[in-house]
Amino acid sequence: MEAIKEKLGGWETATIPAMEVKQVLMGLEMGGADEALLQYLDFLSGIIPVKAGFFLHVVPGFDLLTPLFRKDVMPLSGVNILKETLVNRMGGEISRLLTNGRIGQVKYKVDEGSPLEELLHEAEALNPDLVVIGQKRFANSHGILAKNLARKVTSNALVVPEQSRRSLKTILVPIDFSPYSARALQTAVSMNKRLEVPARILALNVYEMPNISAYMMSKTETEFREMVEEDRMAAFEAFIATHLSEGDENIEQHLLEKDRPGIAHYLMDYAKEKEVDFIIMGARGHSNVELLLLGSVTENVLASNKHIPTLVVK
């Protein structure tokens, strides 16, 4: 999603277009979680146009599964029969579960190797707008860990837990006032423009109160706390005014004070309380160094989240 810039009196303002996806790449495991994953894509593509969908299943190489398995154990003809069987199954499941007909072009294939590495290889070759994987309630032996995909892929990454609701009534965007969270907020606005009934967009900043004793020379604890919250809310409003254009600022701004280590558990508790349907988070950037520093908050949310689809924006 790219903002369109307009100049008004010498100032530039960003006009955020409605979201669309030119290409989506989805990793399938050919297991029970695929049904929920495909059903969610069917739901999402009924809202956001998808021009092309590419579906990939990777059979772990026998040498990856165990050193006792060698490729000469199964003749090449047997491997090809296995792949052909899986391709036929994939085609049947895709046709059965993608029912709205909103994905313009559909292609699918089976490869052999490391599931994560092969998915990343295809993502590099296709350069899709979005890479999608499922997340099972219980990890399997060769599934792709969400945080590993989100850290390494250069496209936006959507992780869909097996128990996700197919609903877009409330969207949560964690805000830390960085350019990365600005992109996440713009993506939420762009997505919202596709909804017949706009979702609530909850922009949440989790902050830590400074050491009160060092600042209470002339203020009570209550006055100091109010001062900090007013200052942070003013920063929140300035952040939204800077990164959204007029008419796009209908965002609910929320502050949450943290009093124990970590932020991800605050986000997930808040999401559960507010019955959030979708989370959009920013990654650190596009360079190799930044991708390795995806962010502990984003990674911890992906690791602990069992119910809410999470889009990591690059």
Side-chain angles (χ1 to χ4, degrees), residues 111-132:
D111 278 336
E112 181 185 350
S114 162
L116 175 59
E117 294 306 317
E118 292 302 321
L119 188 63
L120 291 173
H121 175 76
E122 290 297 334
E124 183 177 359
L126 293 170
N127 192 27
D129 305 85
L130 185 64
V131 177
V132 185

Side-chain angles (χ1 to χ4, degrees), residues 76-137:
L76 183 61
S77 59
V79 174
N80 290 336
I81 291 172
L82 173 62
K83 289 184 177 180
E84 183 177 349
T85 300
L86 289 171
V87 165
N88 290 335
R89 277 183 54 197
M90 284 179 71
E93 288 297 282
I94 291 168
S95 298
R96 180 174 71 88
L97 296 169
L98 297 183
T99 58
N100 68 38
R102 293 291 298 275
I103 299 179
Q105 182 185 43
V106 173
K107 293 186 176 182
Y108 50 94
K109 72 172 183 176
V110 173
D111 278 336
E112 181 185 350
S114 162
L116 175 59
E117 294 306 317
E118 292 302 321
L119 188 63
L120 291 173
H121 175 76
E122 290 297 334
E124 183 177 359
L126 293 170
N127 192 27
D129 305 85
L130 185 64
V131 177
V132 185
I133 63 167
Q135 183 162 274
K136 295 187 70 172
R137 184 177 180 184

Side-chain angles (χ1 to χ4, degrees), residues 8-303:
L8 298 174
W11 293 91
E12 288 188 346
T13 181
T15 300
I16 300 174
M19 180 182 282
E20 66 175 13
V21 176
K22 294 178 182 177
Q23 290 187 147
V24 61
L25 171 63
M26 176 175 283
L28 297 178
E29 65 159 20
M30 300 306 293
D34 286 346
E35 181 163 343
L37 184 60
L38 287 167
Q39 286 176 338
Y40 194 86
L41 180 63
D42 191 56
F43 159 74
L44 197 61
S45 63
I47 299 168
I48 301 167
V50 177
K51 293 185 178 180
F54 296 84
F55 301 86
L56 174 69
H57 172 68
V58 180
V59 180
F62 294 116
D63 54 337
L64 295 175
L65 292 175
T66 169
L68 297 178
F69 267 159
R70 299 186 310 276
K71 290 187 177 181
D72 57 0
V73 173
M74 177 177 284
L76 183 61
S77 59
V79 174
N80 290 336
I81 291 172
L82 173 62
K83 289 184 177 180
E84 183 177 349
T85 300
L86 289 171
V87 165
N88 290 335
R89 277 183 54 197
M90 284 179 71
E93 288 297 282
I94 291 168
S95 298
R96 180 174 71 88
L97 296 169
L98 297 183
T99 58
N100 68 38
R102 293 291 298 275
I103 299 179
Q105 182 185 43
V106 173
K107 293 186 176 182
Y108 50 94
K109 72 172 183 176
V110 173
D111 278 336
E112 181 185 350
S114 162
L116 175 59
E117 294 306 317
E118 292 302 321
L119 188 63
L120 291 173
H121 175 76
E122 290 297 334
E124 183 177 359
L126 293 170
N127 192 27
D129 305 85
L130 185 64
V131 177
V132 185
I133 63 167
Q135 183 162 274
K136 295 187 70 172
R137 184 177 180 184
F138 304 105
N140 61 20
S141 59
H142 63 274
I144 298 173
L145 290 178
K147 67 177 184 179
N148 291 344
L149 174 72
R151 183 190 296 127
K152 294 183 178 182
V153 74
T154 57
S155 309
N156 291 348
L158 175 61
V159 179
V160 182
E162 189 175 6
Q163 297 176 303
S164 297
R165 293 193 302 265
R166 294 190 290 277
S167 174
L168 269 177
K169 295 179 180 178
T170 307
I171 300 172
L172 172 62
V173 185
I175 299 293
D176 61 3
F177 304 120
S178 70
Y180 318 115
S181 59
R183 285 198 290 268
L185 188 61
Q186 291 167 347
T187 301
V189 170
S190 179
M191 177 181 287
N192 217 16
K193 290 184 175 182
R194 288 292 182 186
L195 299 175
E196 292 184 9
V197 179
R200 294 176 66 198
I201 299 178
L202 308 179
L204 176 66
N205 174 244
V206 180
Y207 71 98
E208 187 171 4
M209 185 68 67
N211 185 351
I212 294 177
S213 62
Y215 298 91
M216 285 180 57
M217 300 294 292
S218 59
K219 295 183 181 295
T220 66
E221 180 176 343
T222 300
E223 289 172 333
F224 177 75
R225 188 175 296 277
E226 290 176 351
M227 181 188 72
V228 171
E229 291 179 353
E230 287 175 5
D231 181 69
R232 187 151 292 255
M233 189 56 74
F236 219 145
E237 292 171 356
F239 177 82
I240 288 176
T242 298
H243 295 288
L244 299 181
S245 58
E246 187 175 352
D248 289 333
E249 310 99 322
N250 189 22
I251 308 293
E252 296 184 30
Q253 302 159 38
H254 297 267
L255 299 175
L256 187 61
E257 180 186 349
K258 69 186 292 284
D259 57 9
R260 60 189 191 277
I263 293 179
H265 57 88
Y266 283 97
L267 297 178
M268 295 312 303
D269 288 347
Y270 181 87
K272 182 178 180 180
E273 177 189 343
K274 299 296 183 181
E275 297 183 341
V276 166
D277 299 308
F278 201 86
I279 299 173
I280 304 179
M281 304 186 71
R284 288 184 180 271
H286 296 284
S287 74
N288 289 336
V289 172
E290 287 177 317
L291 288 172
L292 290 173
L293 299 172
L294 175 67
S296 60
V297 175
T298 303
E299 290 195 352
N300 288 337
V301 166
L302 292 174

